[in-house]
């Protein structure tokens, strides 16, 4: 799909407690919008000129826990791309500026801790909906995952980590990869790569890209030892091999650290799954397309990167209208 990059623009609006909407994009000195791979919530950082209006200085209209809205356009109308609350603000007297940090409504889930117990047959979708509703987060579109999971307790974990675990368990059972994100103030769960519009990012668009492949931290064999044995020697209980075409790079686990040898073997399998293949990191920089979101599929044709990829993270420089994408193979 084509987009006129020359018409891309952003509009920032403060929403104080009285419900008014104060447009402040003309006061922006710098602004960035980030959705990082390991974080549940999107973050907006803004530096504004702290000027005096008819009814007070700009900082007097910025309230902790109150809303601000970021909209974007490509010439075809304004659309909301971020809705969040102010979590930090700071004025600087020397240059008459104010710095604001805002997060979308998923931030409380990212920060809060709770005990949870899910019974047998609960799905990832129902689990996440329950967590959100109990935390007071509005729930929107939930596409899945709908595979039934085993019973599982969670002790004093962050709600974000619990959600991530429910999605990971669902993926292991064949449900595919889903992600949680916020849209117009509501939590939604969507399948990765389910976006209808797939942008093609080629050499005419991409300003710079990086394609890094590494086996520096590779593990291809895991040995499981018990502590008992003759003359204090550890007894070998099991050996798990992964892909050894890059050589034998070995890690050791001890069965006494687990409930059984079987549990230790499962841990070895997880280690080989995580560390048993080359680590690939791909990224690119180019003009901002406001409509690309984390979890979207894009087609890339630049440098040594070619194919369809999932966007794992996005950093946007609102001031310069540039974006950086972290990619994962589809």
């Amino acid at each position: 799909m084509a987009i006129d990059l020359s018409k891309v623009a952003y509009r920032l609006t403060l929403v104080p407690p009285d419900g008014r909407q104060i447009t402040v994009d003309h006061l922006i000195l710098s602004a960035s919008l980030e959705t990082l791979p390991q974080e549940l919530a999107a973050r907006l950082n803004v530096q504004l000129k702290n000027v005096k209006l008819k009814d007070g200085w700009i900082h007097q209209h910025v309230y902790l826990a109150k809303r601000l809205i970021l909209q974007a356009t490509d010439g075809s109308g304004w659309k909301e791309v971020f809705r969040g609350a102010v979590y930090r603000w700071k004025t600087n007297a020397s240059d008459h500026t104010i710095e604001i940090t805002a997060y979308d409504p998923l931030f409380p889930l990212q920060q809060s801790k709770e005990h949870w117990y899910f019974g047998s047959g609960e799905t990832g979708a129902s689990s996440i909906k329950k967590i959100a509703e109990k935390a007071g987060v509005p729930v929107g579109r939930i596409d899945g995952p709908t595979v039934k999971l085993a019973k599982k307790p969670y002790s004093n974990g962050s709600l974000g980590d619990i959600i991530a675990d429910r999605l990971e368990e669902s993926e292991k059972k064949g449900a595919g990869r889903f992600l949680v994100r916020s849209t117009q103030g509501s939590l939604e769960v969507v399948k990765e790569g389910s976006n209808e519009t797939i942008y093609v990012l080629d050499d005419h668009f991409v300003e710079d890209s990086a394609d890094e492949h590494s086996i520096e931290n590779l593990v291809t064999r895991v040995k499981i030892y018990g502590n008992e044995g003759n003359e204090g020697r550890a007894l070998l209980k099991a050996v798990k091999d992964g892909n050894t075409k890059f050589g034998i790079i070995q890690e050791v686990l001890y069965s006494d650290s687990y409930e059984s040898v079987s549990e230790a073997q499962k841990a070895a399998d997880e280690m080989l799954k995580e560390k048993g293949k080359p680590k690939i990191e791909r990224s690119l920089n180019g003009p901002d397309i406001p409509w690309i979101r984390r979890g979207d599929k894009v087609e890339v044709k630049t440098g040594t990167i070619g194919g369809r990829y999932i966007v794992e993270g996005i950093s946007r420089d609102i001031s310069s209208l540039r974006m950086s994408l972290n990619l994962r193979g589809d």
Side-chain angles (χ1 to χ4, degrees), residues 111-248:
Q111 298 298 100
S112 298
K113 293 184 177 181
E114 181 60 282
H115 291 273
W116 272 92
Y117 175 84
F118 293 105
S120 178
E122 284 267 23
T123 67
S126 63
S127 302
I128 295 169
K129 185 177 181 181
K130 285 182 178 179
I131 291 172
E133 289 176 342
K134 186 173 181 179
V137 176
V139 177
R141 163 189 170 190
I142 296 186
D143 296 341
T146 57
V147 63
K148 293 182 179 180
L149 304 176
K151 63 180 179 180
K152 190 170 185 179
Y154 295 89
S155 178
N156 194 30
S158 79
L159 296 179
D161 288 343
I162 295 173
I163 288 171
D165 187 75
R166 300 302 279 177
L167 293 179
E168 184 179 349
E169 288 290 325
S170 299
E171 182 187 356
K172 289 177 181 177
K173 289 184 174 290
R177 294 179 66 101
F178 285 76
L179 81 154
V180 175
R181 62 191 186 190
S182 178
T183 298
Q184 295 184 343
S186 295
L187 175 148
E188 64 177 18
V189 187
V190 300
K191 194 165 189 177
E192 287 188 353
S194 59
N195 50 300
E196 295 182 0
T197 300
I198 299 176
Y199 289 96
V200 178
L201 311 178
D202 57 20
D203 286 329
H204 297 289
F205 170 87
V206 178
E207 296 171 348
D208 188 24
S209 64
D211 184 16
E212 179 180 347
H213 299 238
S214 171
I215 57 171
E216 291 177 327
N217 297 307
L218 192 71
V219 174
T220 62
R221 172 174 291 169
V222 180
K223 286 188 174 181
I224 302 171
Y225 284 93
N227 289 333
E228 70 275 11
N230 296 327
E231 300 178 355
R233 295 179 180 178
L235 181 64
L236 181 63
K237 295 290 190 72
V239 178
K240 288 280 187 175
D241 275 350
N243 186 351
T244 59
K245 73 175 183 179
F246 296 106
I248 303 298

Side-chain angles (χ1 to χ4, degrees), residues 8-298:
V8 171
Y10 284 89
R11 183 166 66 189
L12 180 64
T13 303
L14 301 177
V15 186
D18 60 13
R20 287 181 301 150
Q21 296 194 358
I22 305 172
T23 302
V24 295
D25 44 273
H26 61 293
L27 301 176
I28 293 177
L29 296 172
S30 65
S32 64
L33 178 61
E34 296 180 309
T35 312
L36 302 180
Q38 303 303 321
E39 295 186 4
L40 188 62
R43 177 175 63 244
L44 178 67
N45 289 311
V46 185
Q47 184 184 43
L48 300 173
K49 297 176 184 177
N50 190 18
V51 301
K52 191 173 184 179
L53 306 177
K54 293 181 180 179
D55 53 354
W57 293 85
I58 283 294
H59 76 270
Q60 293 176 297
H61 300 288
V62 178
Y63 293 81
L64 293 176
K66 297 304 177 183
R67 276 199 297 152
L68 50 74
I69 296 171
L70 184 68
Q71 295 174 303
T73 183
D74 59 7
S76 60
W78 293 97
K79 299 176 185 177
E80 183 179 308
V81 294
F82 175 87
R83 181 186 302 184
V86 176
Y87 277 81
R88 183 189 70 88
W89 65 264
K90 172 187 174 184
T91 59
N92 301 295
S94 61
D95 57 2
H96 298 287
T97 61
I98 178 170
E99 301 170 12
I100 300 171
T101 298
Y103 293 90
D104 71 30
L106 302 186
F107 190 68
L109 300 180
Q110 183 174 307
Q111 298 298 100
S112 298
K113 293 184 177 181
E114 181 60 282
H115 291 273
W116 272 92
Y117 175 84
F118 293 105
S120 178
E122 284 267 23
T123 67
S126 63
S127 302
I128 295 169
K129 185 177 181 181
K130 285 182 178 179
I131 291 172
E133 289 176 342
K134 186 173 181 179
V137 176
V139 177
R141 163 189 170 190
I142 296 186
D143 296 341
T146 57
V147 63
K148 293 182 179 180
L149 304 176
K151 63 180 179 180
K152 190 170 185 179
Y154 295 89
S155 178
N156 194 30
S158 79
L159 296 179
D161 288 343
I162 295 173
I163 288 171
D165 187 75
R166 300 302 279 177
L167 293 179
E168 184 179 349
E169 288 290 325
S170 299
E171 182 187 356
K172 289 177 181 177
K173 289 184 174 290
R177 294 179 66 101
F178 285 76
L179 81 154
V180 175
R181 62 191 186 190
S182 178
T183 298
Q184 295 184 343
S186 295
L187 175 148
E188 64 177 18
V189 187
V190 300
K191 194 165 189 177
E192 287 188 353
S194 59
N195 50 300
E196 295 182 0
T197 300
I198 299 176
Y199 289 96
V200 178
L201 311 178
D202 57 20
D203 286 329
H204 297 289
F205 170 87
V206 178
E207 296 171 348
D208 188 24
S209 64
D211 184 16
E212 179 180 347
H213 299 238
S214 171
I215 57 171
E216 291 177 327
N217 297 307
L218 192 71
V219 174
T220 62
R221 172 174 291 169
V222 180
K223 286 188 174 181
I224 302 171
Y225 284 93
N227 289 333
E228 70 275 11
N230 296 327
E231 300 178 355
R233 295 179 180 178
L235 181 64
L236 181 63
K237 295 290 190 72
V239 178
K240 288 280 187 175
D241 275 350
N243 186 351
T244 59
K245 73 175 183 179
F246 296 106
I248 303 298
I249 304 171
Q250 187 170 293
E251 182 61 87
V252 170
L253 297 179
Y254 293 93
S255 59
D256 287 3
S257 299
Y258 301 88
E259 293 184 0
S260 64
V261 174
S262 177
E263 288 299 313
Q265 288 178 322
K266 289 180 182 178
D269 289 336
E270 286 299 310
M271 182 177 291
L272 289 171
K273 180 181 177 181
E274 180 181 350
K275 297 183 177 182
K277 57 186 178 182
K279 183 178 180 181
I280 301 175
E281 293 185 351
R282 297 184 174 100
S283 61
L284 61 83
N285 304 315
D288 188 19
I289 299 176
W291 321 128
I292 294 178
R293 304 192 65 186
R294 179 171 62 182
D296 282 357
K297 182 184 297 181
V298 294

